[in-house]
Amino acid sequence: MTRWALILLAALVGPCAQFTDAVNVDVGKNKLSTEKIENDMSILCSPIPAPLSSTSSVHTLRPDDISAVYVLGTPVVHRYEASRVVSRVAELVSMFNSEVLTQHVDPTSVQPRSLLKEAEQLSVSLSNQETDWKLVLLFVPADSTCACSSRVAAEVEAVVQEVEAALQLLQKKLHHTLVHVVVWSSNHQQEKCQCLRAESINWRLRKATLLKMLQESLSYVLENPKWHSGRADFTAVLQSQPVILEPISDSEDTASDLNQLAVQLWTNILQPSTGEAEVRDPGVITFPCPTQERPFLRTEKNSPAERVYSEASTLAEPVMGTVIPCTDRSPSPAIPNSVHELRPGDVKVVAAVGDSLTAANGVGAKTDNLLLVINEYRGLSWSIGGDENITTVTTLPNLLREFNPSLAGFSEGVGSEDSPKAFLNQAVAGAKSGDMVQQVLVLVDKMKSDSRIDFHNDWKVITMFISGNDLCDFCTDSVLFSPRNVVGHIRRALDILHSQVPRAIVNLIELLDIVPLRDLHNDKTLGCPTWFVNLVCPCVLKPKEGSSELQKVKDFNKAYQRAMGELIDSARYDTHANFTVVLQPFLREVFLPRLENGRPDRSYFSPDCFHLSQKAHTLMAQALWNNMLEPVGNKTATHDFLSGINLKCPSRTNPFFRTAINSNYTFPGPPPSPPPATNWGSDFSCNTAPSNSVPTSAHRLRPADINVVAAVGDSLTTGYGAKAKNLLQLRTEYKGVSWSIGGDKTLETVTTLPNILKKFNPEIKGASKGQGQKQTGFNMAVSGAKVAGIPGQVRRLIDAMKNDSTVDFENDWKLVTLFIGGNDLCQYCNDRVSLSPQNYSRHLMTGLDMLYKEVPKMIVNILEILEIEGLRRLKKDSLGCNVLQKFVCPCFLLPGEDSPELAEIKRINRELQIETEKLVYGDRYAGREDFAAVVQPFFRNSMLPLNSDGRPDTTYFSVDCFHFSERGHADMASALWNNMLEPVGKKQTYNSFTNTRKNIRCPTEEHPYFFTKVNSVASCNDNVPVWLAAVLAVTGLLIGWAVTWLFLSCSAKRSKQKIFLAEEMKGTVF
């Protein structure tokens, strides 16, 4: 079928198919396979017809005009990484000019040279090359400047002056040259700067601000027309965002990170395309190609930098005051002795601890100036600011001052927590929960020592808002930032207040729902500095939509909220009448403010699209005030920025700030310890109706239509050690609880795929029971088996089904689950040839071929091999875990961190998954209506189950910390079942190991069938029926035949070009 036929189909079907000019490359493959050159050609950019003569203007320069790539300013500390990035950029250029040259960078050289000296040497070496076009990458290392230095502005100016001098020299000496200036940074900044090691310094925000300062200073220099208008054969342009070599977790491999940086450079070298989406998938790299409309390399003249602003400016509502409708603002007739009888007018002191949202970073930035985010506008802070008055600035203190004008403790102006006007605002930008104890100790000392405060008699309102930065960093250490640890830090800080501060009500603000803020950075038209926020909050912003990493962010977010609630519900802080802590939940669920056109409204955010603007602080102050007047147990727990907030007032019947006691709230106490699990069963409530008649198509198969279940595989299917309590029992095969084929008891006590199916068809056959070899049913799995044993298992399965008198071989619908590859991967390093991904695919194909050719009425589940890397973190103080685990899987568990051996085995792990999908979803098994093979990918991105401490939960594993326990088998069974009910292309590719009794999903009325590749077509667009896809496919095929002859000669020429180009690209690392 021709490309035009495909395009027509795409136009008709809509979102069911996507065609793009971008190129997708799996980063796990660092080299193009010469054996698959035709397949690999699809990842290369297609040549664009070029003019007959070479261009004379740098502003109409195409990639194929570039004859050489050079580099200046290579960072000394990262010469090796920089050289690899430049090499990758040169490889991309070689798609258009196979003879492109690359300047060799000696990665071992550590002799520093000035940028000007490097420019002089390059100019001399290229003095005779006046006609060839050259691309020069000029790196500006930012790590030489200390972000927290008092001289940072002067240091940045010196760097910029050196860059300008080098560019002037290049402009004078070189011809036919395009210079791209790139700011380079890494994670070494914090190590170099002693001041950044101080706990009070938010090093992420400081570093991001330094990079922005450097970007803006360079931008100011390079916007000068002298670089663009003086000569037609020379220009210099600044890349719009810095290159940041900063992996955020130990699991990221360096090659993938360098590939991403190279593609970032390449993307910014080309003319920008409209509507370009940012790449977020860490497993797939997308690099753009020049187009007919935008064929040139980017210069300021052919692609002038455009500043993008939101329709709603931060200046849209300059007055942020509030009208207070309360008429009775009087205090209590006498100073109350109980915190539960505290009126707003009784409060004499306000205080606050927390992070940058309380320090008010960027709140007062009245222009789109990102550098202002470093400023702490404490006087405007929602919970503690006291600038001006309530008519112009809405904050909790300004609201309280309307009830008591002599209120003390609020912060004013701009400055750090140490500035005199900060007063009792002791929040520190960048603080985490672990910093709360120190902040509270400082706060208590200040309250005790300040003459304006009667420490023992004044009533105080203290607001604590923390843990946002814990969530931003949780992916770097899920144990350190586990919900239990985070709330443990908060508990210790509250304990100090409880024991040392009399007459106080503490507002503990529940962590906001932070995930919706991602939408600001998904809409590229808003111009949000995503690279900046990636530095400030990497764990929240970087995960791909729909990924297991993003799901983990959401789970941790909710776990933090839940743990805070449990702490306060323990009644720990209601032991006497002059102190209490109240959880204020108004940020539990946040609705992102949007404009009428549906786009996020930037006016509620500071210039970084992460911190909040004064407009948002106004609403937060109002929401907090209302929460304080709402009874415990009935507080507003959502925050819709656009709906507006009607300020509440104390009433005659309830004139007090609401506490648990005056709300008649019954403390549930700490959650009871769950009783020991007696089984791992599941609840079930699905419609179990079969088809009206026996279906003839595997693509219209309901669960109740399945008559026979079977399985082939290894020890994970035999149930090896699933119920073992000691090493003696480890070798027992508990086949009755095997996730895919076990049939012990019922679903209420044992969760397996057959037990789920028995709810639809109680007469189902083939499930294995008990242990050992007595009642194996059609469980043909063999412990220790590799993929080479699958054909033999399949042969025994076919013979067994044919010889079983209870099975109607020709008419019964059969469901087979195939899961294999763990032993191949675990032993790969001992026999790379026999256990190669290619041999894996060949043996798998042999087994599937047998089923396809010999067994009628069958659907086959093929499980991708699980991602084994997580098991390296699984530790337990036992002989089985410490010794047997590494013995069972030496090739994955023995290599050191960041070793070449580990990188290799991780690559092979991913290649086995890719080979599985490639085999199954080719056309090999598409010729029979009564047969379907479906990849169930929930193991593709395996998530290690964690306990409440954030540590690996060993209860999911047997005594060897490798095989799954009965609990693990139960979770695998529900994950497999749920995968079967998800359309191909939209199946969940991870398992979060929640292991609740309500995991089992049900078929829907709209789609009561198991999903296959064929019946998944309609699901990508509810308006496109299955028959239409078939008609369109036939139509496209006819169109393809009709026009193919028009392109025969062109295709032949292109094929020759591709083969030649492929030979030149053999060394590519993408």
Side-chain angles (χ1 to χ4, degrees):
M1 188 183 300
T2 68
R3 178 179 176 88
W4 297 108
L6 289 173
I7 292 175
L8 176 60
L9 281 177
L12 291 171
V13 176
C16 287
Q18 292 182 344
F19 296 86
T20 176
D21 288 322
V23 178
N24 296 302
V25 186
D26 194 306
V27 301
K29 292 186 176 181
N30 287 337
K31 293 186 179 179
L32 292 177
S33 169
T34 55
E35 290 86 354
K36 302 174 183 176
I37 205 71
E38 289 301 322
N39 291 334
D40 293 340
M41 288 306 301
S42 63
I43 73 170
L44 304 178
C45 294
S46 301
I48 296 176
L52 297 178
S53 58
S54 179
T55 180
S56 59
S57 172
V58 70
H59 307 295
T60 56
L61 190 64
R62 298 169 181 258
D64 50 297
D65 293 323
I66 297 296
S67 62
V69 178
Y70 299 95
V71 60
L72 295 175
T74 308
V76 175
V77 179
H78 295 102
R79 292 185 69 83
Y80 178 64
E81 291 86 352
S83 66
R84 292 172 66 187
V85 170
V86 173
S87 174
R88 285 157 163 76
V89 172
E91 287 184 66
L92 290 168
V93 176
S94 73
M95 285 191 292
F96 305 90
N97 180 2
S98 60
E99 298 179 355
V100 67
L101 301 175
T102 310
Q103 174 192 11
H104 175 68
V105 178
D106 183 3
T108 63
S109 173
V110 293
Q111 187 67 32
R113 291 182 299 168
S114 71
L115 186 61
L116 192 59
K117 187 69 174 177
E118 286 189 48
E120 289 177 354
Q121 293 179 347
L122 181 64
S123 300
V124 171
S125 66
L126 299 180
S127 58
N128 297 323
Q129 299 183 24
E130 295 190 2
T131 58
D132 292 337
W133 279 105
K134 298 165 282 290
L135 171 64
V136 177
L137 296 175
L138 192 157
F139 288 121
V140 183
D143 298 339
S144 58
T145 303
C146 192
C148 55
S149 168
S150 58
R151 300 186 65 257
V152 63
E155 292 178 7
V156 167
E157 184 179 358
V159 170
V160 172
Q161 287 176 352
E162 185 180 24
V163 171
E164 186 173 18
L167 289 175
Q168 288 173 343
L169 188 147
L170 294 175
Q171 187 180 42
K172 182 178 180 180
K173 299 286 187 180
L174 295 184
H175 299 274
H176 285 76
T177 302
L178 169 62
V179 181
H180 267 250
V181 179
V182 185
V183 175
W184 173 287
S185 183
S186 71
N187 55 356
H188 283 261
Q189 174 75 62
Q190 190 182 16
E191 298 175 8
K192 175 182 165 77
C193 297
Q194 295 295 326
C195 55
L196 282 181
R197 298 182 182 180
E199 293 183 359
S200 61
I201 295 292
N202 183 355
W203 74 269
R204 287 190 185 278
L205 185 58
R206 292 273 185 176
K207 178 178 176 180
T209 305
L210 166 65
L211 294 179
K212 180 60 179 177
M213 187 184 301
L214 195 51
Q215 283 281 138
E216 289 206 348
S217 299
L218 289 168
S219 177
Y220 178 79
V221 169
L222 288 167
E223 284 175 358
N224 192 315
K226 69 180 180 180
W227 305 114
H228 322 301
S229 306
R231 283 168 39 196
D233 70 340
F234 182 94
T235 194
V237 60
L238 175 67
Q239 294 218 344
S240 59
Q241 63 186 64
V243 168
I244 303 170
L245 180 64
E246 187 178 22
I248 64 170
S249 70
D250 294 336
S251 62
E252 289 184 324
D253 66 272
T254 305
S256 171
D257 200 40
L258 298 181
N259 289 345
Q260 293 280 7
L261 297 185
V263 171
Q264 177 187 322
L265 285 174
W266 172 254
T267 303
N268 288 319
I269 287 171
L270 297 178
Q271 283 185 293
S273 59
T274 56
E276 185 177 342
E278 180 173 305
V279 177
R280 292 185 180 275
D281 187 347
V284 175
I285 284 180
T286 301
F287 59 85
C289 298
T291 63
Q292 293 277 12
E293 298 76 20
R294 314 279 288 181
F296 308 126
L297 303 186
R298 187 170 73 89
T299 69
E300 184 63 28
K301 199 166 186 178
N302 67 31
S303 305
E306 296 182 3
R307 293 189 176 271
V308 184
Y309 297 95
S310 170
E311 291 98 323
S313 164
T314 53
L315 293 174
E317 297 183 37
V319 178
M320 304 292 177
T322 296
V323 176
I324 300 179
C326 310
T327 55
D328 184 2
R329 305 183 188 183
S330 59
S332 299
I335 297 176
N337 292 318
S338 172
V339 70
H340 312 298
E341 297 176 355
L342 190 67
R343 301 171 186 244
D346 299 327
V347 176
K348 300 287 187 66
V349 178
V350 287
V353 291
D355 54 28
S356 57
L357 291 181
T358 301
N361 281 81
V363 174
K366 298 300 184 183
T367 62
D368 195 20
N369 184 349
L370 189 57
L371 297 179
L372 295 178
V373 175
I374 200 68
N375 291 344
E376 298 172 4
Y377 297 88
R378 292 179 182 263
L380 303 177
S381 176
W382 59 292
S383 64
I384 189 61
D387 277 0
E388 301 180 22
N389 56 61
I390 195 61
T391 63
T392 54
V393 177
T394 301
T395 65
L396 178 62
N398 280 354
L399 286 166
L400 287 170
R401 285 160 73 185
E402 294 299 304
F403 293 80
N404 178 13
S406 61
L407 185 77
F410 51 82
S411 52
E412 297 178 283
V414 181
S416 71
E417 71 279 4
D418 297 323
S419 62
K421 288 191 174 183
F423 205 177
L424 298 185
N425 181 350
Q426 288 305 299
V428 178
K432 300 184 177 71
S433 60
D435 301 310
M436 284 301 93
V437 168
Q438 179 61 31
Q439 286 190 30
V440 162
L441 289 174
V442 172
L443 177 65
V444 172
D445 287 343
K446 283 183 175 291
M447 287 192 294
K448 286 180 177 179
S449 60
D450 196 287
S451 59
R452 292 167 286 185
I453 298 172
D454 185 341
F455 183 72
H456 292 284
N457 296 310
D458 286 348
W459 278 103
K460 312 161 193 73
V461 170
I462 303 171
T463 301
M464 178 184 291
F465 185 35
I466 198 66
S467 69
N469 290 309
D470 297 79
L471 190 64
C472 284
D473 273 357
F474 89 94
C475 62
T476 63
D477 192 332
S478 59
V479 174
L480 178 64
F481 299 114
S482 69
R484 176 175 292 188
N485 283 340
V486 167
V487 174
H489 294 311
I490 293 173
R491 185 188 68 245
R492 284 187 283 277
L494 292 176
D495 285 351
I496 294 171
L497 293 174
H498 183 221
S499 63
Q500 296 189 26
V501 181
R503 295 196 169 186
I505 181 171
V506 178
N507 293 317
L508 177 61
I509 311 300
E510 195 171 274
L511 174 64
L512 81 160
D513 180 12
I514 200 170
V515 173
L517 300 186
R518 290 165 50 93
D519 289 352
L520 285 160
H521 299 271
N522 291 334
D523 187 342
K524 298 305 164 188
T525 63
L526 295 177
C528 286
T530 302
W531 67 266
F532 185 96
V533 182
N534 271 334
L535 274 175
V536 176
C537 192
C539 298
V540 172
L541 204 60
K542 286 189 176 182
K544 176 191 173 187
E545 289 295 329
S547 67
S548 59
E549 290 81 6
L550 181 56
Q551 183 60 46
K552 199 171 180 181
V553 174
K554 296 176 181 177
D555 292 343
F556 263 63
N557 203 149
K558 285 182 169 46
Y560 284 0
Q561 295 174 337
R562 189 165 51 248
M564 290 180 186
E566 291 172 356
L567 171 64
I568 305 308
D569 275 346
S570 68
R572 184 184 186 93
Y573 303 110
D574 280 274
T575 58
H576 47 77
N578 71 349
F579 185 93
T580 192
V581 179
V582 181
L583 186 73
Q584 310 296 3
F586 65 93
L587 291 175
R588 181 179 299 165
E589 186 178 3
V590 173
F591 297 95
L592 191 71
R594 295 184 182 275
L595 301 168
E596 292 183 358
N597 60 12
R599 295 171 57 210
D601 188 345
R602 272 195 69 177
S603 68
Y604 289 88
F605 298 88
S606 69
D608 65 355
C609 296
F610 181 74
H611 292 89
L612 302 175
S613 68
Q614 187 181 354
K615 190 174 179 180
H617 274 248
T618 296
L619 294 176
M620 289 175 66
Q622 294 169 343
L624 172 58
W625 173 266
N626 283 355
N627 252 187
M628 293 174 70
L629 293 172
E630 293 170 337
V632 174
N634 195 29
K635 290 181 180 289
T636 302
T638 59
H639 193 54
D640 187 346
F641 286 88
L642 289 181
S643 62
I645 295 176
N646 295 319
L647 211 64
K648 296 185 177 182
C649 294
S651 65
R652 289 186 178 181
T653 55
N654 288 299
F656 313 123
F657 285 131
R658 305 307 296 270
T659 66
I661 301 301
N662 65 30
S663 301
N664 296 318
Y665 180 74
T666 302
F667 287 109
S673 299
T678 57
N679 63 71
W680 299 111
S682 298
D683 297 334
F684 180 87
S685 58
C686 302
N687 185 339
T688 60
S691 301
N692 293 328
S693 59
V694 177
T696 58
S697 171
H699 313 299
R700 300 187 69 82
L701 196 64
R702 300 172 187 249
D705 298 327
I706 299 294
N707 307 110
V708 179
V709 288
V712 292
D714 54 26
S715 55
L716 292 181
T717 301
T718 65
Y720 186 93
K723 299 172 72 172
K725 304 300 181 186
N726 52 58
L727 292 179
L728 183 63
Q729 298 173 342
L730 179 62
R731 299 180 65 182
T732 303
E733 297 177 342
Y734 297 91
K735 295 186 177 180
V737 299
S738 173
W739 59 294
S740 63
I741 190 62
D744 276 359
K745 301 181 181 179
T746 64
L747 180 61
E748 284 70 25
T749 56
V750 178
T751 303
T752 65
L753 180 60
N755 279 353
I756 298 172
L757 289 168
K758 279 194 287 186
K759 291 292 183 179
F760 295 87
N761 178 10
E763 305 301 322
I764 200 162
K765 301 175 282 287
S768 54
K769 297 181 180 181
Q771 60 191 59
Q773 305 298 322
K774 295 180 181 179
Q775 302 179 69
T776 59
F778 293 140
N779 184 347
M780 297 299 161
V782 177
S783 294
K786 298 183 177 71
V787 71
I790 288 299
Q793 291 185 30
V794 169
R795 172 49 55 206
R796 290 192 296 275
L797 173 62
I798 295 173
D799 292 344
M801 286 193 295
K802 285 182 175 179
N803 295 327
D804 192 312
S805 59
T806 65
V807 175
D808 186 342
F809 187 74
E810 296 297 329
N811 297 308
D812 281 347
W813 275 103
K814 310 157 196 77
L815 174 65
V816 176
T817 300
L818 190 161
F819 183 38
I820 197 70
N823 293 304
D824 299 77
L825 187 63
C826 286
Q827 301 297 325
Y828 171 79
C829 60
N830 298 323
D831 190 351
R832 287 175 170 80
V833 176
S834 298
L835 303 179
S836 67
Q838 292 73 28
N839 280 338
Y840 175 89
S841 179
R842 181 170 58 84
H843 292 305
L844 191 63
M845 180 176 64
T846 301
L848 289 175
D849 284 355
M850 294 166 64
L851 294 172
Y852 181 69
K853 294 175 181 177
E854 301 183 36
V855 184
K857 293 190 173 181
M858 172 169 282
I859 185 169
V860 185
N861 288 322
I862 299 96
L863 276 292
E864 290 183 353
I865 183 174
L866 76 162
E867 187 180 36
I868 296 183
E869 184 188 7
L871 295 182
R872 293 170 59 88
R873 294 178 51 206
L874 192 60
K875 305 296 180 186
K876 186 178 179 181
D877 188 17
S878 68
L879 180 66
C881 195
N882 292 335
V883 177
L884 291 183
Q885 187 194 46
K886 292 182 174 62
F887 177 80
V888 173
C889 196
C891 296
F892 221 121
L893 301 179
L894 288 180
E897 289 296 331
D898 300 322
S899 64
E901 293 79 9
L902 180 59
E904 178 189 31
I905 201 68
K906 287 165 64 177
R907 175 177 59 82
I908 295 299
N909 197 157
R910 180 63 183 132
E911 284 190 17
L912 293 180
Q913 294 175 336
I914 293 171
E915 289 292 336
T916 300
E917 188 166 33
K918 188 185 301 181
L919 170 64
V920 174
Y921 289 147
D923 296 329
R924 192 177 188 88
Y925 305 112
R928 277 176 46 191
E929 186 66 21
D930 70 339
F931 184 94
V934 186
V935 174
Q936 310 297 359
F938 70 88
F939 268 141
R940 182 180 301 167
N941 302 294
S942 304
M943 293 176 63
L944 194 66
L946 303 177
N947 60 23
S948 58
D949 291 325
R951 301 180 185 277
D953 191 340
T954 57
T955 62
Y956 285 88
F957 298 90
S958 189
V959 293
D960 61 354
C961 290
F962 182 82
H963 293 89
F964 285 100
S965 66
E966 183 179 358
R967 184 181 188 185
H969 277 264
D971 206 274
M972 290 165 64
S974 59
L976 171 59
W977 171 261
N978 292 340
N979 252 182
M980 293 171 68
L981 298 178
E982 295 167 336
V984 174
K986 296 184 179 180
K987 292 180 181 288
Q988 183 167 299
T989 60
Y990 62 92
N991 187 15
S992 56
F993 287 96
T994 53
N995 209 197
T996 68
R997 294 187 63 89
K998 302 184 182 299
N999 275 354
I1000 305 296
R1001 297 179 189 170
C1002 297
T1004 63
E1005 291 184 8
E1006 295 77 17
H1007 203 290
Y1009 316 116
F1010 288 131
F1011 274 98
T1012 66
K1013 183 181 178 182
V1014 171
N1015 66 28
S1016 294
V1017 173
S1019 69
C1020 71
N1021 186 342
D1022 293 337
N1023 298 321
V1024 183
V1026 175
W1027 63 265
L1028 179 57
V1031 170
L1032 291 174
V1034 172
T1035 303
L1037 184 61
L1038 293 174
I1039 294 173
W1041 287 340
V1043 300
T1044 296
W1045 65 272
L1046 294 174
F1047 298 95
L1048 285 178
S1049 60
C1050 179
S1051 297
K1053 292 179 181 179
R1054 186 178 300 146
S1055 177
K1056 291 180 181 179
Q1057 291 175 349
K1058 287 182 177 181
I1059 293 173
F1060 172 76
L1061 183 55
E1063 289 296 321
E1064 295 295 329
M1065 287 290 290
K1066 284 181 181 179
T1068 183
V1069 295
F1070 289 94

